[in-house]
Amino acid sequence: SSSRPPRREQNVPLPVKDRYPPANYDPADPRRRLCVLVDGQLVSRRSYLEQRAAIEANGAILLTRVLAHELSPEWQPEVIERRAEWFRVEKFIPVHMQLAADAAHIARFRNENAIEGIAMLVTDAEAPQYEHYVDRPELRDLSVYCVSDSKGVVKARCADGRKGDGSPAQQ
């Protein structure tokens, strides 16, 4: 008898980030499926909770990802309760660069992860720079929203022809 763990099948892939739908994915829900990327270094949890309704006006939130070098105590309840996931950004990488890379990664695997839109929640001061991300070519097949922490959605591009709330357009 060996104490080694059983060998995995050669053709069975390991789960990989963003290549499968989030746990709360409901294929019967007709609303646009959203991922919210939060600059957790600068945006407070309170601002996130205040802007959540503005984000949900564009679809159903399946995934909230807080990007930060360190998770602040105010964000810990969201992560502990699994309402959000923390993406630890290496200290030498600016959060805005990681947020843009994460948005592109999610867009690249949209067929696998079932995400149809990305909302980027940033501060009022950062919003003008993030507004440019809305039109990036790698995000062209997703609906993209720049959400300011006190002003709500400041720029949006809907890629799917649905109504603003993400529900199907009437035929």
Side-chain angles (χ1 to χ4, degrees):
S1 88
S2 171
S3 62
R4 287 190 320 197
R7 215 172 100 142
R8 287 185 50 87
E9 293 282 330
Q10 293 291 330
N11 295 335
V12 178
L14 294 171
V16 179
K17 181 179 158 231
D18 297 329
R19 290 186 175 92
Y20 52 91
N24 59 346
Y25 168 62
D26 177 4
D29 187 342
R31 296 175 297 164
R32 185 180 298 116
R33 298 180 295 270
L34 300 175
C35 169
V36 180
L37 301 176
V38 181
D39 181 339
Q41 209 59 35
L42 299 174
V43 175
S44 70
R45 177 176 176 250
R46 181 181 51 81
S47 292
Y48 164 71
L49 295 173
E50 289 171 357
Q51 294 304 326
R52 188 173 169 98
I55 297 166
E56 288 177 327
N58 295 289
I61 298 173
L62 296 189
L63 173 64
T64 299
R65 186 169 289 159
V66 179
L67 292 91
H69 296 125
E70 293 183 26
L71 187 64
S72 67
E74 74 170 326
W75 277 106
Q76 290 178 4
E78 295 296 317
V79 173
I80 290 169
E81 296 296 321
R82 296 187 176 187
R83 293 183 297 255
E85 70 177 41
W86 172 40
F87 185 100
R88 186 173 145 298
V89 179
E90 296 293 336
K91 290 200 184 278
F92 62 89
I93 299 173
V95 171
H96 75 274
M97 288 178 66
Q98 185 62 57
L99 194 147
D102 211 43
H105 179 79
I106 290 166
R108 187 176 310 117
F109 294 102
R110 69 188 172 284
N111 294 327
E112 291 89 347
N113 61 34
I115 297 294
E116 299 171 315
I118 295 175
M120 299 172 285
L121 179 57
V122 299
T123 65
D124 294 344
E126 294 178 299
Q129 285 76 31
Y130 279 93
E131 286 180 36
H132 297 292
Y133 289 175
V134 170
D135 298 317
R136 289 182 71 140
E138 65 270 25
L139 304 179
R140 72 182 165 276
D141 295 327
L142 293 177
S143 295
V144 184
Y145 309 89
C146 178
V147 183
S148 169
D149 66 345
S150 73
K151 298 176 184 170
V153 177
V154 293
K155 185 169 182 181
R157 183 183 46 73
C158 295
D160 57 15
R162 294 184 191 173
K163 294 190 294 187
D165 65 359
S167 60
Q170 297 294 332
Q171 296 293 332

